[in-house]
Amino acid sequence: MSTHERRERERERRHRLIVTVARELAEAEGWEAVTTRRLAERIEYSQPVLYSHFAGKDAIVAAVALEGFAELTAELGKARAAAAGPREALAALIHAYAGFAGLNPSLYDAMLTLAVDLPFGRPDTPAPLQAVFAEFREAIAAFAGGRDTGVLAEVAWGSVHGLVTLTRSGRLPAGHHERRLAMLIDQLAASADRR
């Protein structure tokens, strides 16, 4: 292995370490606790080394978010693939999404609540974000009934995100979460019949 290859491998290892430690710290103490100084201390590198990988905390949060979108895509795809039919696939996707958000609150915040410099809904949107949206499009396509599948997928994603966010923040009673998800699934699945 050449010196250049060794350096690149070490650089990638440090990059992964920074993202992993930031994510662990955020899950344990919240994103407010994630500072470049604390990360540098935890990974036992200087802050200049950290800044050689990321421009600052926002860039680290964006890297964590991209990792989260890739994980969410895998969860949604697995849930959809295991379903028997279109309605079951939609229900499985929505429940997998809500479950992911519940199990990974700080990761979910990085992905969809905190302000990060990731373009959404544009040609330069990163592949992991596009992949999550593609899962929603696939799950909702059977219910589009001639309407724009992309817009219907946006409504589905926005609806489940809103329910998850409002429930997590205590603005909606947690005891009704499953009923709300079931109602959303019913509404989305029945939408093609009402056209």
Side-chain angles (χ1 to χ4, degrees), residues 8-25:
E8 284 303 310
R9 186 176 287 175
E10 176 59 23
R11 181 171 175 70
E12 177 56 32
R13 189 190 71 72
R14 279 192 314 263
H15 185 92
R16 286 280 338 121
L17 180 62
I18 294 165
V19 171
T20 300
V21 171
R23 185 172 169 176
E24 290 169 355
L25 186 56

Side-chain angles (χ1 to χ4, degrees), residues 15-187:
H15 185 92
R16 286 280 338 121
L17 180 62
I18 294 165
V19 171
T20 300
V21 171
R23 185 172 169 176
E24 290 169 355
L25 186 56
E27 289 296 348
E29 301 179 36
W31 281 106
E32 315 78 47
V34 180
T35 64
T36 54
R37 182 164 49 163
R38 282 197 70 194
L39 284 173
E41 289 169 3
R42 291 247 177 140
I43 64 172
E44 298 179 349
Y45 284 102
S46 66
Q47 281 184 287
V49 169
L50 197 136
Y51 283 115
S52 75
H53 288 271
F54 297 98
K57 179 180 173 177
D58 290 346
I60 295 167
V61 174
V64 170
L66 287 173
E67 188 176 88
F69 280 111
E71 291 173 20
L72 177 58
T73 299
E75 291 294 318
L76 299 180
K78 189 172 21 170
R80 235 179 18 84
R87 189 182 195 296
E88 293 82 5
L90 177 63
L93 175 124
I94 287 175
H95 284 285
Y97 184 98
F100 181 89
L103 291 173
N104 304 285
S106 291
L107 177 58
Y108 189 79
D109 286 344
M111 295 163 59
L112 291 157
T113 304
L114 300 177
V116 293
D117 190 22
L118 293 174
F120 284 79
R122 298 187 340 212
D124 60 337
T125 297
L129 282 71
Q130 291 183 26
V132 168
F133 187 67
E135 289 294 334
F136 272 90
R137 284 180 63 100
E138 287 295 319
I140 202 72
F143 308 104
R147 292 171 293 171
D148 185 317
T149 305
V151 172
L152 191 55
E154 290 170 354
V155 169
W157 188 354
S159 297
V160 71
H161 168 69
L163 291 174
V164 163
T165 302
L166 290 168
T167 303
R168 283 181 57 211
S169 68
R171 287 171 174 83
L172 293 176
H176 297 268
H177 183 63
E178 289 301 317
R179 286 179 51 210
R180 285 189 293 271
L181 292 180
M183 189 176 290
L184 173 61
I185 293 161
D186 287 344
Q187 291 299 307

